[in-house]
Amino acid sequence: MFRNYLKVALRNIIRHKGYSIINVAGLAIGMACAILILLWIQDELSYDRFHQNADRLHLIALTQKLETGQQTIPTQQAPLGPLLKENIPEISEYARFREYFYTLAYDKNTFQEEIYFVDPSFLTMFSFPLNQGDPATALDDPHSILLTETMARKYFGQNQLVGKVLRLNEQVELTVTGIMQDVPHNSTLQFECLAPFGLLRELGFDIDEWLGNDYVTFVLLEEPASYQQVGEKIDFFCSDLYKQEKGTAECPHTMFLHPVTKAHLYPLGWAGGRIDYVYIFALAAAMILIIACMNFINISTARSVNRAKEICLRKVVGANRAQLGKQLLGESILLSLIAAAAAVAFAEFLLPVFNYRAGKELSLVYSNPVLIVGLLAIVILTGVLSGMFPAIYLSAFQPVKVLKGHLKSGRGALQLRRILVVFQFALSLVLIIATIVISSQITYINNKDLGLNKENVLYLLASQGIKEYYTTFKEELEKNPKVICVTAAAQGITHINSSLGNNWDFDGRDPNQRLEIHFDWVSLDYAETFGLEMAEGRFYSEEFPSEMVDGIVLNEKAVELMGIKDPIGKRFSYWGNDKRIIGVVKDFHLEPLYETLKPMILIYHDFINYVYIRIAPDGASQALSYIETVYKRLEPAGTFQYGFLDDRYKREYRAELRLASLSRYGTALAIFIACLGLFGLASFMAEQRTKEIGIRKVLGASVTSIIRMMSKEFVMLVVVAILIASPLAYLAMNRWLEHFAYRTSLGWWVFVAGGLLALLITLMTVSFQAVKAALTNPVETLRYE
Amino acid sequence: MSEQNLNLKEKGSREPKTKTGVAPMIRTTNITKWYPSGFGKIFVLRNIDLEVNEGEFITIMGPSGAGKTTLLNIIGMLDEASEGTYCFLDQEVHKLNERKRSELYKQHIGFIFQSYHLIDDLTVYENLETPLLYKKIKAAERKSMVCDTLDRFQIVGKKGLFPSQLSGGQQQLVGVARAVIARPRLLLADEPTGNLHSSQGEEIMQLLSKLNKEGTTIIQVTHSEKNASYGNRIIYLKDGWIVDKL
C-alpha cells in the first residue's frame, strides 16, 4: 500500500516538475530560515550557562528612586562586596569586576589594552578554564596577570609563557601566572586579560573608601533557589546602614540580586535588551514558515482539479475518505521531507553569511538532539499543516460530479485560496513595513544631532610619555594646519561611567535627593574639540586660570534634575571640595539612544588617559602621519595605536544594525516565497483559462484588456492585504520604537511605500503569465475544441 | 420501426430465471432524484420501481438526459436518491452511512466507465492492483490475482505500460479488467463501447456476455441496439420515468 502511494507521489512530483520545484523551493527556503533562526535563538538562550555555578551566580544591583522616575545601576561601591560577604551568611563568595585602559609592554612591544581587574575568587566562581596555571592561586599575588591564548600569542608568539613579565603602564611589573582559554562568544563577560583587584591601589584608585558606584560586584550564593530572599536580606542590611549613617528614616534606594544567566537577555543598565529580539526573531521564523505553508496549500488546492479524476477513481475502486486523506497527507509530508533535505543544504550554505551578519559562530551540529528534534518537528508540522486542507478538501470530492466533468474547483476552495493569498501578502507587507521602519530608525540614530560632532575625531590612549609631556604634545600637534584641535580626558567621552557617589552638595539641595551624577576629568579645549555648545557661561579656558582650579561645568540635564535656578556662580561641592559653577554645557549624547541623558559634570584636571584630536576632513592621511611623527618623538618605543570616534559609536548600535540587516534578508526571502506562490497560482490560472482567453481574443479583446482581466483579481486581493497589514504593522512598530528614548516618526509614507512595493511585486509576478497567455495565438488554444 | 421494437421487446422480455423463494439482488421502490433550481426542482428520475435478480443481464436505454447514468450511479452507490428505498442484497442502502456503503460497494460492485478513467501515473499492472490494495488483500494473493486477470484478458505483455501508451480499445479493456478483478457480483457498465470502434466494441460485449454466463449480474447503459441484444431484459427510461416502450 505504502509503496503504491510512494510511487504515485514520486511520479506526480516528477511529472509536474514546475509546480513541484516551486513548492519544494518555497518550503525549503522557509525551513532554512526557520532553522537558522532557531539556531540563533538557541545560542542566545545559552549565554552564560556554561559556568558550573551558573545557577548560583548573581550580580548586585541597585534601583534608585528619582524625581523623574527610577534609575537602575548595575555597579556598586568598592567596599560593598567584602562587607556583604562578612555579614550575609548566604553569600559564600564575592568578586568585583572593572576594566581600565592601560598600556601593556613586553620587551620592545607596547600595546594599549582593556585590563579587567577582578578579585581572585572570580576564577573559582566563574568557569573560565586555564590552560596553564592554577585558578585557585593565579591571582593571589597583586603583581600577577592572566592572558587569554590569543592575547598571549600577540605578545609572545609561542606558547610557554607562564613566568614572563609584562610592564603595566610602565609603572608596575606583572608576572604572567596563567594562560586562559579564549572567552567563548556566548559569555556576556568578555575580556582578554585579568589582573588582581588589589593592584588598583597601586595604580591610584582608592578601593577601600565608599566613593562612586564604579564596580560590578558578583556574588556566589550557597543555595541556588532563594536569590530573591537573599536580595531582600541584602537590601535590609544596606538600607539599615544607610539610615544609621545619614540619620534619615528613609533609604532612597533598593538593592536586589540579578542572576548572571539573565544578564544577556534581560540586562540592567547595560546597552540593549535582547529578549525582545528573541521574540521578534521567533515570530519572524514562524511567519516565514507560515507563508511557505500557505503557498503549498494554495498551489495544491488549485491543482486539485487535475488530481480530481484520480481521487474519484480511487473512491470508485474502494478507497474511503480516511485512506485518501492518508495518501494525500503522506504526499505532502514526502514533499516536506524533500524540502527539509534541501533546506539543510541551503542552511549550511547560508551559515557563513548569516554568522557574519549576526556576529555569531553558529554551526549545524548534526549530533545535537535539539537540532534533530527541531528539524523533525518542522518537517512534520509543515507537512501536516500544508497537507491537511488539501487532504480534507480533495477526499471530499464526489465521484459522480467529477467523472461527468462537472467539477470546477468549488466555491469553497476559491474563497480559501483568496484568503490565503491575502494573508500571505498581509504578512509579507508587515515584514516590509518593519524593515522600512527599522532601517529608518537606524538612519535617524546615525544622523541625529548628538550635541557633539563625532566626525573626524581620532582618539588614542596616552602612554606614560604622552601623559608627562601632554602640553608639548598638544602644542606640537596644533602646529599642523590639518590638526584643528586637541584635548584630553580621563575616562574618555564614550566611557563616562564613574559617578560621584553621594558625596556632593549644592546650595538648596534636598538632603533626601539621591542622584547619580557622572563625571569625568577633562582638559582644555574639550568643548571645542567635540563641538559642544555652552548653554550658559563658559568652558574652562586659559584666559581664566582661577576657574580652572575652582570652576565646575555641568550639563543641562544635571541642572534640570538638581533643580538649580541661575546656576552660574552658584556653589557646588563634591568629595569635600567647594567649587563654583562657571558654565552649563548643552546636553550631548554618549550612550545608545535608548537611554536617556545622564546628568554629568566636567571637572578640569591634568590627569589624562585619552587624547582626542580633531583633524580636518580632507587630508586625513597627512594629518595621521604627522601625528604619528610627533608621537614617536615623545614615545620612541611605543606603538602608535588610534581609533576614530564615530566607529566607536557605531559599535554601540551593533545589535540594531544587525537587526536591520537581518530583517532586510528575512523580508526579501519572505517576499520571494510569497511571489513563488503567486507565480504558481497565476500560471495555473492562465493554464485553466487558455480556452477562454482564446475565445475572447477571437471576439476582439486586446492584449491589454486580457492582461487587465487576469491581474484584476490579484491586485484586489493585495489591496485588501494592505488594508489589513497596515494597522498591525503600525501597532507592532510602535511597540518596538518604545525601546528608544529618541525615535523616528512613523509617518504615513512608510505604509504607502510598503503598499506600493507589494503592488508592484504582484503586478510583475502576475503579468508575466498574463502577458504570455494574452500573446498566445487563439488558433493554438482553440484547436482541441 | 415498430416491428423492430417489437422484435427487441420480445427478445428482451425473455423471463429471468427465478429460483422460488430467493429475494432479488436489487430492489428499488419509488426512487426519485431531483436537483433544486430556482424556486422549484428539476426531476431526473421519477418513481423508479425496479427488481433485478442475480444472474440477469439488464440494459437500460433511453434518450439523452433520461436519467440512465443517474440511475446507474444510484444503484452503484455513487450517488443518493432524493426519495425512495433501495435494497441491495437485503441491505437497506438508503439507510447506511458513507463508510458502510463504501464497504458494501467495494465488496460487491464493479464499475466500467465510458471514458476508461485509469490512473495515469500507474502502469497497467498497478492500475489493476489498486482495488485489491483497498481491500487489503495480501501481496502474494494480489500478485496471483493480477497475473490471472492479465492472462485472461490477454494483456500480459502490456503490464508495464502506462495508460498514455495504450490505444483506446486497450485502455477500455484494462478498465473492464480492473472492474472485474475482485470478482464482484454486480457489474455496472456506462456506455462501455461508446468510445470504441465496432470491432473493439464487439470484443468487449462478448467479454461481458461471457462474464454473465459465469454468474456475474450485469446492468449496462447504452444507446446501441446491438449492445442491448446481448442482455436478457431492457428497461426503457424517458424523462425520468420507466416506460414500456420508446
Side-chain angles (χ1 to χ4, degrees):
Chain A
M1 189 77 250
F2 177 68
R3 263 211 304 249
N4 183 296
Y5 287 162
L6 194 63
K7 265 188 268 191
V8 175
L10 284 175
R11 285 188 202 150
N12 216 323
I13 292 175
I14 296 177
R15 208 149 58 105
H16 298 108
K17 282 198 206 57
Y19 294 117
S20 305
I21 290 181
I22 289 181
N23 258 337
V24 169
L27 280 179
I29 295 176
M31 285 195 219
C33 280
I35 292 174
L36 289 175
I37 290 177
L38 285 176
L39 277 181
W40 187 89
I41 292 179
Q42 190 191 25
D43 186 71
E44 286 286 301
L45 293 176
S46 76
Y47 270 61
D48 303 314
R49 289 195 189 269
F50 57 87
H51 299 294
Q52 243 190 337
N53 299 323
D55 52 358
R56 293 191 287 148
L57 289 167
H58 299 273
L59 177 64
I60 304 181
L62 184 143
T63 317
Q64 199 154 257
K65 296 185 218 32
L66 303 172
E67 282 177 2
T68 47
Q70 290 198 115
Q71 195 183 19
T72 307
I73 303 169
T75 48
Q76 307 303 327
Q77 293 159 308
L80 184 67
L83 182 69
L84 286 181
K85 175 169 174 201
E86 252 181 85
N87 289 286
I88 313 251
E90 285 90 341
I91 296 180
S92 69
E93 262 313 338
Y94 73 92
R96 290 162 294 188
F97 182 88
R98 167 79 205 226
E99 77 281 9
Y100 287 107
F101 249 97
Y102 282 108
T103 53
L104 217 50
Y106 177 71
D107 246 7
K108 304 251 190 321
N109 296 326
T110 316
F111 295 99
Q112 291 156 2
E113 307 288 358
E114 212 155 77
I115 318 261
Y116 283 80
F117 295 88
V118 298
D119 287 300
S121 46
F122 181 81
L123 294 174
T124 45
M125 281 166 69
F126 291 86
S127 307
F128 291 109
L130 260 55
N131 282 344
Q132 294 179 42
D134 180 7
T137 58
L139 287 176
D140 280 349
D141 187 322
H143 285 182
S144 42
I145 187 167
L146 294 176
L147 306 177
T148 55
E149 278 192 75
T150 318
M151 192 152 177
R153 243 174 283 137
K154 182 164 94 169
Y155 281 87
F156 306 124
Q158 18 76 288
N159 263 328
Q160 188 48 31
L161 1 80
V162 170
K164 299 245 198 295
V165 174
L166 297 171
R167 302 186 303 283
L168 180 86
N169 212 27
E170 302 301 335
Q171 227 183 299
V172 193
E173 282 196 348
L174 303 173
T175 317
V176 177
T177 47
I179 305 292
M180 301 181 286
Q181 278 181 17
D182 286 342
V183 176
H185 79 278
N186 58 346
S187 165
T188 6
L189 301 175
Q190 292 282 332
F191 48 83
E192 287 194 297
C193 64
L194 296 178
F197 198 71
L199 181 58
L200 286 172
R201 280 194 201 93
E202 270 187 62
L203 296 172
F205 292 89
D206 200 343
I207 54 178
D208 305 299
E209 288 301 316
W210 293 83
L211 297 175
N213 283 43
D214 296 331
Y215 305 98
V216 173
T217 310
F218 294 107
V219 292
L220 177 70
L221 297 185
E222 295 273 349
E223 301 285 316
S226 55
Y227 76 90
Q228 279 116 334
Q229 287 146 316
V230 181
E232 277 172 17
K233 232 181 159 182
I234 295 177
D235 187 38
F236 284 146
F237 179 76
C238 291
S239 46
D240 275 345
L241 230 77
Y242 180 90
K243 286 186 262 191
Q244 275 174 27
E245 259 203 45
K246 301 282 172 178
T248 55
E250 284 282 334
C251 176
H253 58 256
T254 327
M255 302 190 90
F256 62 96
L257 289 179
H258 191 62
V260 162
T261 46
K262 278 195 174 179
H264 178 70
L265 294 175
Y266 302 89
L268 300 165
W270 289 349
R274 301 283 276 205
I275 188 68
D276 277 354
Y277 290 134
V278 171
Y279 289 138
I280 290 178
F281 277 129
L283 200 63
M287 286 210 292
I288 293 180
L289 213 58
I290 289 178
I291 292 180
C293 288
M294 282 195 240
N295 252 10
F296 186 93
I297 297 178
N298 259 348
I299 296 189
S300 309
T301 43
R303 294 191 47 234
S304 62
V305 173
N306 294 348
R307 273 326 267 292
K309 201 180 88 167
E310 178 200 336
I311 302 285
C312 291
L313 214 49
R314 286 181 179 268
K315 270 200 163 175
V316 170
V317 297
N320 58 34
R321 270 195 82 176
Q323 285 165 314
L324 282 171
K326 260 184 273 176
Q327 178 192 353
L328 292 166
L329 211 57
E331 281 183 17
S332 93
I333 293 185
L334 177 69
L335 215 64
S336 194
L337 271 169
I338 297 176
V344 169
F346 196 47
E348 279 282 13
F349 175 70
L350 281 181
L351 213 46
V353 176
F354 186 74
N355 274 337
Y356 173 69
R357 290 276 168 189
K360 291 203 178 268
E361 306 149 8
L362 303 171
S363 62
L364 284 167
V365 179
Y366 294 102
S367 53
N368 181 358
V370 175
L371 181 71
I372 305 290
V373 170
L375 208 59
L376 263 161
I378 292 178
V379 167
I380 296 186
L381 204 69
T382 317
V384 169
L385 269 180
S386 330
M388 210 160 58
F389 180 79
I392 297 178
Y393 174 70
L394 291 181
S395 62
F397 280 172
Q398 286 195 289
V400 177
K401 295 213 184 78
V402 174
L403 298 174
K404 289 207 92 163
H406 282 327
L407 183 81
K408 292 186 240 299
S409 16
R411 296 245 62 196
L414 193 59
Q415 278 305 88
L416 178 83
R417 280 209 298 286
R418 288 205 181 114
I419 293 176
L420 287 181
V421 168
V422 169
F423 202 51
Q424 264 184 319
F425 264 82
L427 278 182
S428 307
L429 201 63
V430 169
L431 286 176
I432 294 177
I433 293 178
T435 308
I436 296 179
V437 171
I438 292 175
S439 300
S440 94
Q441 172 70 355
I442 301 293
T443 329
Y444 175 76
I445 287 179
N446 273 339
N447 294 339
K448 175 155 172 53
D449 181 16
L450 293 168
L452 65 88
N453 189 346
K454 58 177 164 61
E455 314 290 322
N456 303 309
V457 174
L458 66 78
Y459 65 94
L460 50 88
L461 192 62
S463 62
Q464 203 48 35
I466 300 292
K467 283 191 203 179
E468 270 186 54
Y469 298 105
Y470 170 66
T471 341
T472 322
F473 187 53
K474 180 172 152 81
E475 272 172 24
E476 286 297 307
L477 285 178
E478 283 172 347
K479 283 192 187 148
N480 186 306
K482 295 293 181 187
V483 174
I484 299 180
C485 207
V486 179
T487 190
Q491 286 177 82
I493 197 162
T494 46
H495 254 84
I496 304 187
N497 290 336
S498 292
S499 74
L500 291 179
N502 206 19
N503 205 342
W504 53 273
D505 196 22
F506 65 93
D507 295 327
R509 177 189 171 184
D510 173 6
N512 280 327
Q513 179 194 43
R514 169 108 192 215
L515 209 54
E516 202 61 30
I517 303 185
H518 293 246
F519 77 95
D520 197 11
W521 286 335
V522 304
S523 269
L524 293 172
D525 293 331
Y526 187 87
E528 206 188 310
T529 311
F530 293 114
L532 304 177
E533 278 182 41
M534 301 303 293
E536 292 180 58
R538 53 173 170 259
F539 202 72
Y540 307 103
S541 156
E542 282 177 311
E543 295 170 41
F544 300 93
S546 64
E547 286 184 345
M548 282 160 63
V549 174
D550 60 4
I552 269 287
V553 174
L554 309 166
N555 71 349
E556 284 177 314
K557 192 75 183 178
V559 173
E560 180 201 334
L561 288 181
M562 294 196 287
I564 309 180
K565 305 267 183 283
D566 299 318
I568 306 294
K570 293 247 167 70
R571 178 187 79 97
F572 182 90
S573 79
Y574 69 95
W575 300 349
N577 307 318
D578 269 349
K579 306 269 181 177
R580 239 181 340 119
I581 300 175
I582 60 164
V584 178
V585 67
K586 279 212 175 129
D587 287 329
F588 56 96
H589 294 280
L590 309 166
E591 323 219 283
L593 290 179
Y594 31 56
E595 300 277 353
T596 43
L597 285 171
K598 297 214 167 27
M600 65 176 91
I601 65 175
L602 300 171
I603 306 171
Y604 179 82
H605 204 285
D606 53 17
F607 177 83
I608 62 169
N609 268 326
Y610 288 92
V611 177
Y612 292 93
I613 307 170
R614 171 172 290 284
I615 58 181
D618 54 320
S621 48
Q622 256 188 299
L624 278 172
S625 57
Y626 178 75
I627 297 172
E628 185 167 3
T629 327
V630 177
Y631 181 90
K632 282 282 186 278
R633 249 188 273 146
L634 289 171
E635 196 65 72
T639 343
F640 180 58
Q641 262 182 296
Y642 65 92
F644 273 94
L645 197 61
D646 41 12
D647 288 337
R648 213 50 228 244
Y649 272 94
K650 282 215 195 93
R651 245 183 286 161
E652 299 293 321
Y653 301 132
R654 228 178 337 188
E656 272 64 36
L657 284 171
R658 289 216 178 110
L659 181 65
S661 153
L662 286 174
S663 83
R664 275 193 286 263
Y665 283 112
T667 306
L669 279 175
I671 295 182
F672 181 68
I673 297 176
C675 282
L676 266 186
L678 208 58
F679 187 78
L681 272 184
S683 53
F684 181 75
M685 202 178 80
E687 212 182 310
Q688 294 294 95
R689 296 173 84 168
T690 348
K691 194 166 108 177
E692 177 195 343
I693 293 175
I695 295 176
R696 280 178 186 269
K697 284 193 84 174
V698 166
L699 293 178
S702 67
V703 173
T704 13
S705 79
I706 300 218
I707 296 178
R708 222 179 326 135
M709 176 187 84
M710 293 200 60
S711 321
K712 199 168 52 169
E713 172 165 339
F714 287 109
V715 169
M716 274 233 326
L717 294 177
V718 173
V719 168
V720 174
I722 293 175
L723 291 174
I724 295 180
S726 302
L728 286 175
Y730 181 76
L731 289 170
M733 283 295 106
N734 243 344
R735 181 78 208 285
W736 180 70
L737 285 175
E738 271 166 24
H739 275 290
F740 297 85
Y742 304 92
R743 53 192 96 116
T744 179
S745 59
L746 214 48
W748 56 266
W749 65 269
V750 173
F751 300 94
V752 171
L756 283 177
L757 191 63
L759 220 53
L760 197 69
I761 294 174
T762 313
L763 280 174
M764 278 190 342
T765 317
V766 172
S767 63
F768 176 72
Q769 289 296 339
V771 169
K772 200 169 86 157
L775 291 178
T776 329
N777 194 333
V779 174
E780 318 262 326
T781 55
L782 295 178
R783 202 198 307 232
Y784 291 100
E785 170 63 68
Chain B
M1 243 296 250
S2 55
E3 274 210 9
Q4 253 190 322
N5 268 354
L6 216 60
N7 265 340
L8 280 171
K9 198 173 173 213
E10 274 181 9
K11 207 170 176 190
S13 55
R14 198 179 10 161
E15 289 302 326
K17 313 189 236 330
T18 31
K19 303 181 187 116
T20 42
V22 177
M25 187 192 219
I26 295 172
R27 183 202 303 229
T28 76
T29 336
N30 205 27
I31 294 284
T32 307
K33 177 102 185 149
W34 67 71
Y35 293 104
S37 135
F39 290 115
K41 308 176 188 164
I42 297 184
F43 286 91
V44 182
L45 290 175
R46 286 178 177 275
N47 302 82
I48 305 291
D49 293 327
L50 192 61
E51 268 187 30
V52 177
N53 292 309
E54 188 133 20
E56 291 200 69
F57 190 150
I58 311 274
T59 309
I60 303 178
M61 293 186 77
S64 284
K68 311 189 291 294
T69 306
T70 314
L71 181 57
L72 208 67
N73 289 338
I74 291 177
I75 294 176
M77 298 178 218
L78 296 180
D79 202 356
E80 270 182 73
S82 316
E83 257 184 59
T85 66
Y86 170 26
C87 284
F88 179 78
L89 295 176
D90 289 331
Q91 302 250 33
E92 297 192 290
V93 177
H94 53 279
K95 289 196 182 143
L96 295 177
N97 65 22
E98 192 249 343
R99 201 166 45 86
K100 291 221 177 72
R101 252 187 297 142
S102 138
E103 285 295 316
L104 199 55
Y105 76 66
K106 192 195 316 206
Q107 253 194 318
H108 300 292
I109 306 182
F111 223 113
I112 303 174
F113 301 98
Q114 179 174 359
S115 334
Y116 336 130
H117 290 311
L118 301 177
I119 298 181
D120 299 315
D121 287 321
L122 298 178
T123 60
V124 168
Y125 184 102
E126 289 155 357
N127 263 293
L128 292 181
E129 202 188 16
T130 308
L132 304 179
L133 287 168
Y134 286 119
K135 292 180 102 171
K136 306 214 170 67
I137 296 180
K138 297 261 181 332
E141 211 187 319
R142 279 202 315 263
K143 197 157 182 203
S144 94
M145 286 168 85
V146 174
C147 286
D148 242 0
T149 309
L150 285 169
D151 218 15
R152 196 165 162 207
F153 284 68
Q154 292 172 325
I155 45 174
V156 181
K158 310 248 186 299
K159 70 176 183 194
L161 297 179
F162 289 93
S164 50
Q165 296 168 303
L166 302 173
S167 75
Q170 291 162 336
Q171 287 187 44
Q172 184 60 302
L173 211 55
V174 176
V176 176
R178 181 191 61 204
V180 305
I181 190 170
R183 283 187 274 267
R185 287 164 80 166
L186 174 64
L187 198 58
L188 302 173
D190 192 349
E191 303 269 14
T193 62
N195 286 359
L196 306 173
H197 64 72
S198 43
S199 63
Q200 286 175 324
E202 276 256 349
E203 270 184 51
I204 299 287
M205 289 316 297
Q206 296 204 344
L207 189 56
L208 290 182
S209 187
K210 192 161 94 153
L211 288 171
N212 177 244
K213 289 203 178 69
E214 289 168 4
T216 313
T217 315
I218 303 184
I219 304 179
Q220 68 165 338
V221 163
T222 183
H223 280 302
S224 152
E225 310 254 350
K226 189 153 194 308
N227 286 357
S229 65
Y230 283 84
N232 72 312
R233 178 152 69 107
I234 302 180
I235 298 171
Y236 294 97
L237 285 183
K238 184 171 173 185
D239 293 332
W241 300 91
I242 294 185
V243 296
D244 286 335
K245 59 174 185 266
L246 292 171

